[in-house]
């Protein structure tokens, strides 16, 4: 007889809702702190006296962190519980984004490294927590997670110029992504009190280095990330050069992320 999968929050609707909010709030922090620099490229370069090659480090360093830190996350989860790691990652993101408003290049680069490390941790942790927390709603929750991630990226680029103008300082929109992770800590602090058995993948015994499917997925996701971060970083500058003002450039760049939301919703409905 087939027994339905039991979720850790069955019979606890309040905790279930809190867990949904915790996952989505964490997802909202995974792109905005990086893509916010795209519409502000000229302000940052002029304010800090940077050339294009040095400025590119502000978006390249997080991607390097993604590759390095992602490889060690499984080892970390064997020593520290995932919710505590999520809390630590959110704090690191807040610290890194806060350091990037300090007008000293070395401090900004250190903040960029911290930001990349925190986001890399969440990139790996959140999909596993989705499967562990919501075994019967994995499809819809994965879709909501992806939609929130895209919405956060679109919000980061869209708000950059209006916030800069409202506060007369290009650091204002960057500071937003230092404060948001601190707000997102609240539901995760409560979830520390909730005992759950999160998803543990079965070991196949096949080394990933020798798995063609793993290489294919790695190549696909790598190309996808290359396209996304290249456009998010340099498309606003290309639009500036084409004669558009920074408001239009930021809005058009944000639409790239927002237009990705309907297909994600359709895919999640199919999975559900």
């Amino acid at each position: 007889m087939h027994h339905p999968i039991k979720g850790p929050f069955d019979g606890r609707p309040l905790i279930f809702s809190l867990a949904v909010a915790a996952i989505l709030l964490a997802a909202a922090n995974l792109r905005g702190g990086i893509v916010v620099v795209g519409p502000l490229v000229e302000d940052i370069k002029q304010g800090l006296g940077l050339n294009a090659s040095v400025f590119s480090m502000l978006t390249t360093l997080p991607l390097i962190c993604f590759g390095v830190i992602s490889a060690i996350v499984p080892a970390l989860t064997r020593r520290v519980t995932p919710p505590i790691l999520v809390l630590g990652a959110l704090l690191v993101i807040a610290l890194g984004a806060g350091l990037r408003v300090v007008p000293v290049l070395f401090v900004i680069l250190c903040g960029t490294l911290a930001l990349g490390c925190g986001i890399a941790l969440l990139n790996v942790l959140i999909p596993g927590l989705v499967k562990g927390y919501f075994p019967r709603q994995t499809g819809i929750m994965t879709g909501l997670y992806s939609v929130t991630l895209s919405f956060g990226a679109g919000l980061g680029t869209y708000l950059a110029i209006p916030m800069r103008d409202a506060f007369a300082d290009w650091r204002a929109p960057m500071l937003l992504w230092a404060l948001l992770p601190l707000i997102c800590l609240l539901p995760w602090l409560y979830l520390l009190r909730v005992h759950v058995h999160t998803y543990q993948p079965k070991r196949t015994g096949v080394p990933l280095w020798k798995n063609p499917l793993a290489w294919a997925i790695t190549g696909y996701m790598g190309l996808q990330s290359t396209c996304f971060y290249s456009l998010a970083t340099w498309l606003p500058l290309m639009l500036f050069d084409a004669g558009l003002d920074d408001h239009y450039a930021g809005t058009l760049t944000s639409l790239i992320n927002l237009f990705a939301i309907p297909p994600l919703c359709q895919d999640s409905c199919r999975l559900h």
Side-chain angles (χ1 to χ4, degrees):
M1 181 178 179
H2 176 71
H3 296 282
I5 300 174
K6 185 177 181 180
F9 306 117
D10 285 0
R12 296 187 287 178
L14 180 61
I15 304 301
F16 181 91
S17 301
L18 189 67
V20 171
I23 292 290
L24 298 185
L25 286 171
N29 289 276
L30 294 182
R31 296 294 180 268
I34 297 176
V35 302
V36 68
V37 302
L40 301 171
V41 54
E42 287 298 326
D43 297 274
I44 297 173
K45 285 169 62 179
Q46 294 176 9
L48 300 174
L50 306 179
N51 56 38
S53 60
V54 175
F55 173 83
S56 66
M57 296 176 66
L58 298 182
T59 51
T60 302
L61 286 177
L63 304 187
I64 295 173
C65 293
F66 291 177
V68 175
I69 300 301
S70 298
I72 67 173
V73 173
L76 288 175
T77 57
R78 289 193 288 270
R79 294 171 173 80
V80 184
T81 61
I84 292 179
L85 285 175
V86 171
L87 282 169
L90 289 170
L91 287 173
V92 170
I93 290 172
L95 174 64
L99 289 176
R100 297 213 302 175
V101 304
V102 178
V104 178
L105 179 59
F106 176 75
V107 176
I108 291 175
L109 293 178
C110 289
T112 301
L113 282 172
L115 181 70
C117 290
I119 292 175
L121 278 170
L122 293 184
N123 280 339
V124 180
L125 290 170
I126 298 301
L129 285 171
V130 166
K131 192 157 189 174
Y133 284 171
F134 312 102
R136 290 188 296 176
Q137 302 90 9
T138 300
I140 189 66
M141 282 304 302
T142 299
L144 288 173
Y145 160 77
S146 301
V147 166
T148 305
L149 190 149
S150 295
F151 183 77
L155 198 65
T157 53
Y158 179 76
L159 292 179
I161 300 303
M163 287 192 67
R164 180 207 65 184
D165 292 347
F167 293 92
D169 194 334
W170 59 265
R171 296 176 183 85
M174 299 184 71
L175 187 60
L176 170 67
W177 298 99
L179 299 176
L180 183 60
L182 299 178
I183 299 173
C184 299
L185 290 173
L186 298 177
W188 286 101
L189 286 170
Y190 189 84
L191 285 178
L192 289 178
R193 303 168 55 186
V194 181
H195 179 70
V196 297
H197 296 285
T198 53
Y199 168 74
Q200 295 293 332
K202 296 180 179 179
R203 296 189 179 186
T204 62
V206 179
L208 289 178
W209 301 105
K210 298 180 181 180
N211 189 324
L213 180 60
W215 281 105
I217 293 174
T218 300
Y220 172 77
M221 298 303 293
L223 289 173
Q224 184 187 50
S225 295
T226 299
C227 291
F228 172 79
Y229 287 107
S230 296
L231 287 173
T233 303
W234 298 112
L235 180 60
L237 184 59
M238 294 169 64
L239 294 174
F240 296 158
D241 293 340
L244 295 179
D245 65 26
D246 47 13
H247 288 83
Y248 282 109
T251 300
L252 291 176
T253 304
S254 70
L255 289 177
I256 292 177
N257 299 287
L258 299 180
F259 279 143
I261 290 179
L264 289 172
C265 292
Q266 185 179 18
D267 289 343
S268 67
C269 290
R270 289 175 179 174
L271 288 171
H272 185 60

